[in-house]
Amino acid sequence: SLTLVQSTASLSDLNDFQFNIYPNPAKERLRLQTELPLKHVDIFSLTGSKVLSQSYTEEVEIGMLSKGVYMLKATSNDGKVSTQKLIKE
């Protein structure tokens, strides 16, 4: 007989590619490490409001953000999207 296993999708299941944020926790600026060329970065509060949106160059300036936990969404040049938790000190 066939058994269905139910699982909840975690954020990592929804990611098209892997990336690392460093440093994390971060204070003033951060960099992203990934094998794909990145085009855009969005940072969201945990309530879902977008607090930062910029083209990705070498670094992302986050000094203006309040301390706390955010979700960082990275978009690659070919439109793949990946999200990861960011801690702002």
Side-chain angles (χ1 to χ4, degrees):
S1 69
L2 192 63
T3 308
L4 288 177
V5 179
Q6 283 207 301
S7 66
T8 54
S10 68
L11 272 172
S12 58
D13 296 336
L14 305 174
N15 289 340
D16 291 334
F17 62 95
Q18 294 294 314
F19 71 95
N20 290 317
I21 300 171
Y22 66 96
N24 191 10
K27 285 186 177 162
E28 296 296 321
R29 58 190 58 87
L30 57 90
R31 290 172 175 258
L32 303 182
Q33 186 179 36
T34 179
E35 291 177 10
L36 293 180
L38 296 180
K39 180 189 201 165
H40 201 83
V41 172
D42 296 300
I43 297 180
F44 297 88
S45 68
L46 291 184
T47 57
S49 49
K50 190 184 287 187
V51 294
L52 186 146
S53 181
Q54 70 170 62
S55 298
Y56 183 69
T57 49
E58 287 292 300
E59 296 182 326
V60 181
E61 295 282 339
I62 61 163
M64 77 301 273
L65 297 180
S66 305
K67 289 183 179 183
V69 180
Y70 296 89
M71 294 310 298
L72 186 148
K73 183 173 98 175
T75 306
S76 69
N77 283 346
D78 55 2
K80 293 187 166 82
V81 173
S82 190
T83 308
Q84 215 172 119
K85 189 161 76 173
L86 161 69
I87 298 167
K88 163 73 163 78
E89 282 189 330

